[in-house]
Amino acid sequence: MSKTIAIFGFGPGLGMGTARRFGREGFRVAVVGRKPEKAEQHVADLKADGVEAVAFPADVTDAGQLDACVAAIRETLGEIDVAMHGAAGEMTDRIPSTLDMDVPGLRVPMALKLHSPILMTRALVPAMIARGDGALLFSSGSSPHVTHPYLSNFGVALAAQRGYIHQIAAELQGTGVYAGVLNIGVLIGNSRAEEIVNTRPELVPAGIEIARMTNDELGEHYWRMYTERDSIEVEVGF
């Protein structure tokens, strides 16, 4: 029977690259995105590539919507074997100075990069532990390892996410369930962020050069993480 990967916070960059890579291995793809029309377009693009996919519109930061989405995926595609959390904020949500960051400025990044991963994990991990198999894949940036004050509020949220992932990975040892995070220090091909940087390069501080990587290359990293399961963290681009 085909396995299912659910991609929470599906976008044209990281989500599409990961979906295509797992789809080539026979995985069915649950496309979870906030905007129904975009989710359906992603499904159409995947089907054009020969990948079985179904759209499940939901705001992954809303506990009720996420739980209902997981239930719908299970009813339609069966149990979720792999979950990838790829939700990310807009560049305009970033506060460009840590000195200017206040508590309200953490609301969006914490919801996206800490609270939502916790909601996803709580919805999925009990069944994975019961089966003795499963994988939880997360996305992050370079800021938990490399100081980037211009990413102030998201840097703080990603550091919190890193701590959470390490803690759940430790608790999942011996259960058959893998948890890992891909730390991405590049601009992702075909992503919304790449589109914004191409049209508004002034959003990147002067003197900072950001390398680029295709979304298919990043999908390959996730596939190796899933199959090899030998590291909690994998870094690309830094």
Side-chain angles (χ1 to χ4, degrees), residues 2 38 51 62 64 68 75 78 83 98 121 150 155 157 236:
S2 296
K38 288 190 175 182
V51 177
D62 182 285
E75 183 177 351
T98 306
T121 300
Y150 76 98
V236 294

Side-chain angles (χ1 to χ4, degrees), residues 10-115:
F10 196 108
L14 192 60
M16 185 60 71
T18 304
R20 283 198 294 252
R21 182 63 185 89
F22 279 76
R24 289 204 303 272
E25 303 296 332
F27 274 74
R28 297 168 298 187
V29 179
V31 174
V32 183
R34 185 167 52 88
K35 297 181 178 179
E37 65 280 5
K38 288 190 175 182
E40 291 292 354
Q41 183 58 59
H42 294 318
V43 165
D45 292 340
L46 287 170
K47 287 182 176 180
D49 289 336
V51 177
E52 183 180 352
V54 182
F56 297 90
D59 180 347
V60 299
T61 67
D62 182 285
Q65 290 189 42
L66 191 144
D67 286 344
C69 173
V70 168
I73 294 170
R74 285 172 168 155
E75 183 177 351
T76 306
L77 299 176
E79 281 296 340
I80 297 169
D81 301 281
V82 182
M84 193 276 272
H85 189 281
E90 297 284 350
M91 293 186 71
T92 52
D93 292 325
R94 297 173 180 175
I95 297 173
S97 168
T98 306
L99 293 174
D100 293 333
M101 183 180 70
D102 56 9
V103 171
L106 287 168
R107 183 184 62 80
V108 170
M110 292 294 278
L112 284 168
K113 304 309 294 184
L114 180 63
H115 302 159

